[in-house]
Amino acid sequence: MSQVYLKLSLLGLLVVAVVTPSANAIRKFVVLGGKSDVPNVQTNMEVQELGRYCVEQFNLHEQSGKGNVASSIDRAVLNPLTFSRVVSAQQQVVAGLKYYLRIEVTQPDGTNRMFDSVVVVQPWLHSKTLLGFTPVATPIY
């Protein structure tokens, strides 16, 4: 009799395992720590404001002489840049949210140029940190 219960129990577990969707199947689109595209970038005000923040921080660092990668950029770009728009964005969950932004700026001579920016946002600390701001060699929109 106990063998019958054991066989029925094992059969029941097998049925539950086959019928129940696995956690991996449910989360197949979410990779922990992986980058994901931010939808509707053009109308996403949070992302557009992050782009504006990146350009402002870049300008502040350049004016104070603490420039990051920009020391190797041609002199025309070192004048204050004007934020135009974020054209694409990805985000990654780290100790906060890390955003990878492609930003279009207007240079002092009126021409547009694309930059890649990385910024970390920690909302619970009310903190934003610009990690990188580099020109794109070939602007791909």
Side-chain angles (χ1 to χ4, degrees):
M1 186 87 162
S2 66
Q3 283 189 350
V4 172
Y5 286 124
L6 179 62
K7 288 180 183 180
L8 286 176
S9 296
L10 290 175
L11 181 62
L13 286 174
L14 179 63
V15 168
V16 169
V18 170
V19 173
T20 305
S22 72
N24 289 336
I26 293 171
R27 288 185 286 161
K28 67 181 177 182
F29 298 111
V30 177
V31 178
L32 297 178
K35 293 180 189 177
S36 61
D37 289 334
V38 177
N40 306 316
V41 172
Q42 300 296 327
T43 58
N44 186 325
M45 295 311 292
E46 179 183 4
V47 170
Q48 294 298 320
E49 286 303 314
L50 279 175
R52 185 177 311 281
Y53 167 81
C54 291
V55 174
E56 290 169 357
Q57 290 300 304
F58 174 79
N59 287 337
L60 286 173
H61 281 100
E62 289 307 306
Q63 289 170 359
S64 69
K66 297 180 188 174
N68 58 2
V69 184
S71 57
S72 64
I73 302 173
D74 58 285
R75 285 290 174 224
V77 175
L78 294 181
N79 294 320
L81 302 173
T82 305
F83 173 78
S84 294
R85 65 190 174 116
V86 175
V87 295
S88 66
Q90 293 183 319
Q91 68 181 11
Q92 180 180 24
V93 177
V94 291
L97 289 172
K98 184 184 271 188
Y99 288 90
Y100 300 85
L101 307 176
R102 169 106 356 134
I103 301 172
E104 181 181 79
V105 301
T106 303
Q107 299 178 112
D109 65 1
T111 60
N112 289 339
R113 189 163 185 185
M114 302 294 278
F115 283 80
D116 282 333
S117 177
V118 181
V119 62
V120 174
V121 179
Q122 295 175 310
W124 64 93
L125 296 175
H126 305 288
S127 168
K128 293 182 217 166
T129 306
L130 179 63
L131 301 180
F133 193 87
T134 56
V136 175
T138 22
I140 300 172
Y141 291 87

